[in-house]
Amino acid sequence: GAVVSQHPSRVICKSGTSVKIECRSLDFQATTMFWYRQFPKQSLMLMATSNEGSKATYEQGVEKDKFLINHASLTLSTLTVTSAHPEDSSFYICSANGQRAKNIQYFGAGTRLSVL
Amino acid sequence: GESVGLHLPTLSVQEGDNSIINCAYSNSASDYFIWYKQESGKGPQFIIDIRSNMDKRQGQRVTVLLNKTVKHLSLQIAATQPGDSAVYFCAETPWGSSNTGKLIFGQGTTLQVKP
């Protein structure tokens, strides 16, 4: 149980284009979903917290117009990197917590974004 | 500010030995802690958790110890195996975030298991 699927696993795009990453909780309804960014050999940096049907809460320093988050249902959240630039290249990871164990986050496999 | 940090960036152990990974946290009001394992190119995987009203919790081959007096958390892995090689993160629920489930992650320790 508590499986989180993230798609795509890897994406390469041209500078200036937008990229959408999907995060799905497969066997549970996610109370909250989280989006992280991770640079090589560094820790996870929380970008935003999203709840179904409401606007995402962004961490300080994260541009909400740059990283659009939509949480349309209890099992799906999407992150869109708009007008991507090479500095946006990173490993993006989503997580979700369920209703029973709210503090345990279950993670997707991550998306490696490379912007050329 | 709030921070969760690790003492050593890399730990190298011999296969079969026990591993101890340490973590220091700064917020004495934090009431929940989790250890995650992250293999290269993958998302973090839940290992074990502990609440602040406990000092110790055991899982399969893993034990988490919490010392609230010195704000220290450790993960002990018994009979370390090559498959245990990964980066280990401690994470805490910061004060006031128990309803949101928000976690703050430490810097991570790379565990290398030598055959």
Side-chain angles (χ1 to χ4, degrees), chain A residues 11-21 65-68 79-89 92 113-116:
Chain A
V11 57
I12 301 172
C13 69
K14 291 182 178 179
S15 186
T17 60
S18 295
V19 174
K20 180 184 283 189
I21 302 170
D65 294 330
K66 173 76 172 175
F67 300 100
L68 299 178
L79 168 68
T80 301
V81 183
T82 62
S83 187
H85 290 285
E87 57 266 31
D88 298 324
S89 299
Y92 293 88
L113 171 63
S114 299
V115 184
L116 304 179

Side-chain angles (χ1 to χ4, degrees), chain B residues 10-66:
Chain B
T10 302
L11 175 66
S12 185
V13 299
Q14 204 70 38
E15 180 179 358
D17 287 352
N18 297 333
S19 302
I20 300 176
I21 301 171
N22 297 305
C23 178
Y25 63 95
S26 59
N27 189 343
S28 58
S30 293
D31 60 358
Y32 183 73
F33 304 87
I34 303 180
W35 280 101
Y36 283 95
K37 171 186 179 183
Q38 185 179 26
E39 297 176 353
S40 182
K42 297 183 180 180
Q45 177 185 5
F46 172 85
I47 301 175
I48 193 168
D49 59 351
I50 189 168
R51 293 209 170 272
S52 59
N53 59 355
M54 302 172 69
D55 297 321
K56 179 180 180 179
R57 192 164 187 219
Q58 288 184 296
Q60 187 176 10
R61 279 202 308 121
V62 295
T63 301
V64 56
L65 298 178
L66 177 62

